[in-house]
Amino acid sequence: NNKINEKNKKIIYIVAIISIILMNIVDNLYNTEIRIDVILTANSIFALIPSIAVYTLFKDNYDKLNIPKFFDNFITKNSKYIFYIYMLHVLVKEEIVIKLINLFYNPVSFIGICVVIILRIILTFIISYIVSIIVEYLYSSISKLIINTSKKLFN
């Protein structure tokens, strides 16, 4: 049984909210250099706890969300890429998307900054998704090759 009891869910949600608040406070007090941010890293407890809370929220309420069939099929079909997208998105954003956008557009207004934020999100997802498909294909191909080779060697 994979159900989380109500008491533990409440604890997860409360700790996640506290974590989000503390993340900003600690980040502002502790962080002096934006490029060396130890608080907002993938292995930070401040990022992990809200991620668990969001996962729990979706896990328990997915059937109640009334997701259109098209999106449900898309999510189901592409769920194998989600971990790759998660692992790649920071690298893609930092090394490709930001540099690519900065080559063509440097916003000076609030609306321009909002446009850049939206572009970063969309491009980061699309590029991470494409790279994830390639990585999954390579992983699958190499795994099959290793399995077939080992069968030939040891049979």
Side-chain angles (χ1 to χ4, degrees):
N1 187 359
N2 293 332
K3 290 286 183 191
I4 300 172
N5 68 42
E6 291 300 316
K7 179 183 174 193
N8 288 342
K9 274 193 259 186
K10 287 178 184 175
I11 292 170
I12 290 170
Y13 297 143
I14 291 168
V15 171
I17 291 168
I18 292 169
S19 177
I20 291 169
I21 294 167
L22 284 177
M23 178 172 36
N24 291 297
I25 293 169
V26 172
D27 196 48
N28 284 320
L29 293 174
Y30 180 74
N31 189 19
T32 57
E33 173 61 42
I34 193 137
R35 302 299 295 169
I36 308 168
D37 192 346
V38 296
I39 304 301
L40 298 175
T41 61
N43 59 353
S44 166
I45 192 75
F46 293 115
L48 180 64
I49 292 173
S51 299
I52 292 169
V54 170
Y55 173 80
T56 303
L57 186 67
F58 273 96
K59 180 183 174 297
D60 288 347
N61 297 297
Y62 187 80
D63 294 333
K64 300 173 195 167
L65 294 175
N66 295 324
I67 297 174
K69 191 71 173 161
F70 169 78
F71 290 115
D72 190 45
N73 289 339
F74 179 81
I75 290 167
T76 303
K77 181 181 175 190
N78 293 290
S79 62
K80 63 183 173 183
Y81 303 121
I82 297 302
F83 183 68
Y84 295 122
I85 291 170
Y86 169 73
M87 295 301 289
L88 292 167
H89 83 278
V90 174
L91 178 67
V92 168
K93 184 183 85 174
E94 294 288 328
E95 298 300 327
I96 298 171
V97 173
I98 291 175
K99 291 176 182 177
L100 185 66
I101 290 174
N102 287 344
L103 279 176
F104 300 105
Y105 185 64
N106 283 319
V108 291
S109 67
F110 177 74
I111 303 249
I113 292 169
C114 291
V115 168
V116 166
I117 290 170
I118 293 168
L119 273 173
R120 283 182 182 176
I121 292 168
I122 292 169
L123 286 175
T124 299
F125 176 77
I126 290 171
I127 294 169
S128 297
Y129 179 71
I130 291 168
V131 173
S132 297
I133 291 171
I134 294 167
V135 168
E136 174 63 25
Y137 174 78
L138 291 172
Y139 175 76
S140 177
S141 299
I142 291 169
S143 295
K144 287 177 186 174
L145 180 68
I146 291 170
I147 289 169
N148 291 335
T149 305
S150 65
K151 282 181 181 178
K152 289 178 184 176
L153 288 173
F154 299 111
N155 284 335

